[in-house]
Amino acid sequence: MELMKRKQNRLENYDYGEIGCYFVTLCTQNRKPLFRIENVGNDLCVVPCLQNQIIHNWIKETENKFSNIKFDKYVIMPDHLHFIVNITERHAGRSLHDVMRFFKTMTTNDYIKGVKKSGLQSFDKKLWQKSYYDHIIRNELDYNETWEYIENNPQKLGITPNGE
């Protein structure tokens, strides 16, 4: 029996260390809702909670570790995250893949500590799905549309600023 070939997620022959902006979606394993909705920048459902604080902390720490990247915009959803990752300069060993691998590893480690010490909801084997979705943002219009998509994502699920 021949195994199905896994679909290639990355754009073939593209250098993901290239200066530019990337839209990234990272999903929890089996889309398990482990986080609370929080849209950074518009005070949507800003509820201090440990699981979201882990994401906020590692976004900052990831920017500190990778001085050539910035998270321009992000939203935390129950079972996924959306980011605009901005690579500001070329740096060997600091591609989008390296950034996402670091972020996933560190958030997983902290989340495990939260499960053991603070009673965070447990997960089965992996916090994050194996890969992530990315889109290379090609121009200002694409950037603005992506920003708007991230900004409006909670409302698409019927979430209002009061969390209702």
Side-chain angles (χ1 to χ4, degrees):
M1 183 197 261
E2 197 173 315
L3 295 175
M4 267 181 50
K5 197 172 186 180
R6 188 175 173 103
K7 181 182 174 249
Q8 183 73 300
N9 289 337
R10 309 285 84 80
L11 186 61
E12 198 171 339
N13 299 320
Y14 184 81
D15 179 0
Y16 282 87
E18 192 68 39
I19 293 172
C21 294
Y22 303 86
F23 173 53
V24 176
T25 300
L26 184 60
C27 297
T28 58
Q29 184 72 13
N30 301 318
R31 299 296 294 254
K32 188 169 183 174
L34 298 173
F35 300 100
R36 294 191 183 161
I37 292 177
E38 189 173 333
N39 196 341
V40 174
N42 71 356
D43 297 329
L44 178 71
C45 301
V46 178
V47 179
C49 61
L50 179 58
Q51 62 269 45
N52 283 17
Q53 196 57 50
I54 290 168
I55 301 300
H56 294 305
N57 290 344
W58 283 108
I59 282 177
K60 289 177 191 157
E61 289 303 316
T62 302
E63 288 178 331
N64 289 338
K65 178 173 175 60
F66 297 90
S67 60
N68 66 322
I69 71 108
K70 296 287 179 216
F71 288 87
D72 286 355
K73 178 80 171 167
Y74 64 100
V75 64
I76 302 170
M77 301 296 286
D79 61 357
H80 67 282
L81 310 173
H82 291 301
F83 308 104
I84 295 177
V85 178
N86 185 353
I87 298 180
T88 59
E89 62 184 68
R90 288 196 54 73
H91 192 291
R94 293 180 179 240
S95 68
L96 181 63
H97 175 73
D98 299 310
V99 169
M100 296 313 299
R101 181 177 54 223
F102 175 79
F103 181 82
K104 288 169 71 172
T105 298
M106 301 315 285
T107 53
T108 298
N109 291 343
D110 258 10
Y111 196 95
I112 290 168
K113 289 176 193 169
V115 170
K116 291 178 180 177
K117 293 181 180 176
S118 305
L120 284 183
Q121 184 180 357
S122 63
F123 57 91
D124 187 29
K125 296 180 184 153
K126 294 182 182 226
L127 179 62
W128 303 111
Q129 287 182 1
K130 181 176 181 170
S131 192
Y132 55 90
Y133 168 82
D134 70 74
H135 166 76
I136 302 160
I137 298 176
R138 291 175 170 81
N139 55 43
E140 188 176 349
L141 176 63
D142 194 7
Y143 183 92
N144 291 337
E145 288 173 351
T146 302
W147 182 284
E148 191 172 307
Y149 177 85
I150 292 171
E151 185 78 22
N152 295 327
N153 199 240
Q155 290 85 358
K156 285 179 142 185
L157 292 180
I159 305 299
T160 65
N162 296 328
E164 301 167 354

